Amino acid sequence: MKKSRIVAVALSLLAVFAIGLAGCSKSSKSGSNQQASFKNKTTKKADVKSTLTKSTQLWYVAGAVNSKSNSGLEAYRFNSDGKVTVYNVDKFYKSYSAANKANALNKVGTLNTTFKTKGDNTIINFKGKLSDIPMTQKFTVKDTLTGKNNASKLKVAGYHIARDVDQDVTKAVLVKVAN
């Protein structure tokens, strides 16, 4: 009697485990439901570089998707020629043209960029002048992210980054508005 109960419990646990595995494998095959417009799910050098440089959108740098700042946000517009124009903006805008139309693009400077891979991470180095002050900074791209900026009610997609400015490293996000 005891032996049959033990076998029944073991078979029940095995069945629950098998159902759980079947559910996990089915959900992983269905793909990501988070953000269809942000198809890049890797942080490899070529993927990050092409995602940033082929986009004509503004890429916003903030502490988090919904962080608030009294001084505005930094917005980066990457070019395929290895340069990035940095702007200070007051909020997330649906597009570059929307920010330009709202007269919200306060250009701070232009930086030279280089991309390299270190382990699983992509590192973006910036060098140039912002507000006529020489500076260097580095973004280490960690993981992809999607979310919604509550203030603007816009969906965003991008990367978690470690931002190194003058050897002061902080966690941040690098995101664009997703269509």
Side-chain angles (χ1 to χ4, degrees):
M1 198 76 132
K2 268 187 172 178
K3 192 174 187 179
S4 64
R5 281 188 198 162
I6 292 173
V7 170
V9 169
L11 288 175
S12 297
L13 288 174
L14 185 61
V16 169
F17 183 69
I19 291 169
L21 280 177
C24 289
S25 66
K26 185 176 180 181
S27 68
S28 68
K29 289 178 186 173
S30 67
S32 174
N33 297 340
Q34 292 179 353
Q35 196 66 27
S37 66
F38 192 70
K39 295 176 183 170
N40 177 17
K41 296 296 177 197
T42 64
T43 55
K44 299 209 181 330
K45 176 184 173 186
D47 295 335
V48 172
K49 183 177 181 180
S50 67
T51 300
L52 294 175
T53 58
K54 290 183 180 177
S55 171
T56 58
Q57 293 284 28
L58 292 172
W59 285 84
Y60 300 92
V61 176
V65 171
N66 286 301
S67 65
K68 295 180 182 177
S69 172
N70 294 331
S71 60
L73 298 165
E74 286 182 26
Y76 290 65
R77 190 165 192 216
F78 290 85
N79 299 328
S80 58
D81 64 355
K83 299 208 182 282
V84 62
T85 305
V86 182
Y87 301 96
N88 189 308
V89 294
D90 57 342
K91 64 178 185 174
F92 285 90
Y93 286 90
K94 191 169 187 169
S95 65
Y96 173 81
S97 59
N100 198 22
K101 186 177 178 180
N103 201 25
L105 297 172
N106 300 314
K107 185 176 176 181
V108 202
T110 303
L111 303 172
N112 294 314
T113 60
T114 56
F115 293 81
K116 67 180 180 179
T117 303
K118 188 174 185 179
D120 291 337
N121 298 323
T122 298
I123 299 171
I124 310 167
N125 289 300
F126 300 91
K127 187 173 185 177
K129 289 185 177 184
L130 291 181
S131 301
D132 290 329
I133 299 171
M135 64 86 63
T136 59
Q137 70 176 335
K138 176 172 61 173
F139 294 170
T140 303
V141 179
K142 300 289 187 179
D143 297 310
T144 59
L145 74 92
T146 58
K148 183 176 180 181
N149 178 265
N150 294 333
S152 65
K153 297 182 173 124
L154 295 170
K155 292 181 181 179
V156 296
Y159 303 101
H160 289 281
I161 62 171
R163 183 180 189 187
D164 182 346
V165 179
D166 297 327
Q167 298 171 345
D168 180 22
V169 181
T170 58
K171 291 181 182 180
V173 296
L174 174 65
V175 295
K176 70 173 180 140
V177 173
N179 297 330

